[in-house]
Amino acid sequence: MKYRAIAHTDVSAIGLGAMPLSIEHRPDETRAIATVHAALDAGVTLIDTADSYHWHADEAGHNELLIARALARYGGDTSHVLVATKGGRGRPGDGSWTVTATPAHLKQAAEASAKRLGVDAIGLYQLHKPDPTVPWAESVGALRELLDAGTIRAAGISNVTAAQIRQAHQILGDGLVSVQNQYSPAIRDSEPELQLSEQLGLAFLPWSPLGGISRSSLDGPSGHTSIGTAFHRIAAERGVSPQQIALAWLLARSPAVIPVPGASRPGSITDSARAVELTLTTQELTELEDVPQS
């Protein structure tokens, strides 16, 4: 495994997006825990979760509890694993997502997440999405209070604009360590946010990083997946999966990038972790740059 930095903490250059283990079409717990263990076996030391990663309305925190159980049952040392969770979204149980980022909610949510994860302080706590009904400075201010109280060790923000990153950086200073936006071969709208994150020394964690290559867990069973792109052709030439090429491409975009591909089976995360072994040529990167985007 190769490593990249989130502030002063080195983590695996490929993380595990744990959402598919708890939402609709999730695997049974045996396979879910085997998937987490396969990630750890492959050298993955960053696991991304959220209190809203669940299926039914009455099981908030399902994914956090699952990750805690998986880590407790792992035979090796997990003290170096950074579990990054998020607060500010909810799932009523009908497949929809809500947003609640009031300071009171975020503080309560962070305390509940720490309890579910079994930690005194959350290693990385991310504001899941800006709440249009709450001033951004107030939501970010809650993260500042959580940092000052020692409930969280570092803060991140997700689904944000460049302006929101700048404002959060002013409020949180060195306490802000990461940005998590959607970014993939098919969706590259967050290029400005990626560049700004690099400038500010923030890690950039692309969510749904395999968009255009693999169907997202947010899609239904019939969700669209592209075929025959340059990612697929280069993968065939290299004898690896298109997913590995996509992740290697992301790693080449910036040293700030740490993809967190989702997985619901051991083989998927094992394959994704191998992307750190690939170095794409200048010609390959040029060909991949020209792939049509959504």
Side-chain angles (χ1 to χ4, degrees), residues 48-199:
D48 182 74
T49 181
D51 60 2
S52 58
Y53 290 170
H54 60 89
W55 185 348
H56 307 292
D58 61 350
E59 55 177 18
H62 181 281
N63 199 242
E64 292 173 324
L65 290 167
L66 175 68
I67 296 305
R69 288 195 296 273
L71 291 174
R73 297 176 190 175
Y74 187 63
D77 179 22
T78 60
S79 61
H80 57 300
V81 176
L82 175 62
V83 177
T85 192
K86 296 181 285 294
R89 302 207 74 178
R91 302 206 75 202
D94 60 0
S96 66
W97 297 75
T98 60
V99 181
T100 307
T102 62
H105 174 80
L106 290 173
K107 292 175 197 174
Q108 293 171 359
E111 291 169 359
S113 289
K115 184 176 181 180
R116 284 189 290 264
L117 292 170
V119 297
D120 295 328
I122 297 170
L124 173 56
Y125 191 70
Q126 304 158 95
L127 199 165
H128 206 154
K129 188 175 184 178
D131 186 336
T133 69
V134 179
W136 179 237
E138 291 185 14
S139 295
V140 176
L143 297 182
R144 177 73 269 170
E145 293 183 32
L146 288 167
L147 285 165
D148 293 341
T151 307
I152 67 176
R153 292 196 176 94
I157 50 178
S158 183
N159 299 298
V160 289
T161 65
Q164 289 168 331
I165 295 172
R166 291 188 184 280
Q167 188 175 8
H169 190 251
Q170 291 176 346
I171 295 170
L172 298 172
D174 292 342
L176 179 65
V177 302
S178 66
V179 171
Q180 185 169 167
N181 279 12
Q182 186 174 20
Y183 191 85
S184 69
I187 299 176
R188 308 182 192 181
D189 296 344
S190 280
E191 189 68 37
E193 289 73 29
L194 166 56
Q195 294 179 9
L196 178 58
S197 296
E198 183 177 344
Q199 292 169 14

Side-chain angles (χ1 to χ4, degrees), residues 229-239 245 280 284 287-288:
T229 68
F231 287 86
H232 297 80
R233 179 177 53 76
I234 292 172
E237 293 171 354
R238 290 280 199 127
I245 297 297
L280 299 172
E284 287 172 334
E287 294 174 25
L288 296 173

Side-chain angles (χ1 to χ4, degrees), residues 14-39:
I14 299 289
L16 169 65
M19 182 177 73
L21 302 177
S22 290
I23 65 167
E24 293 87 334
H25 316 297
R26 65 192 182 200
D28 61 36
E29 180 156 324
T30 298
R31 195 176 94 190
I33 288 181
T35 300
V36 177
H37 288 178

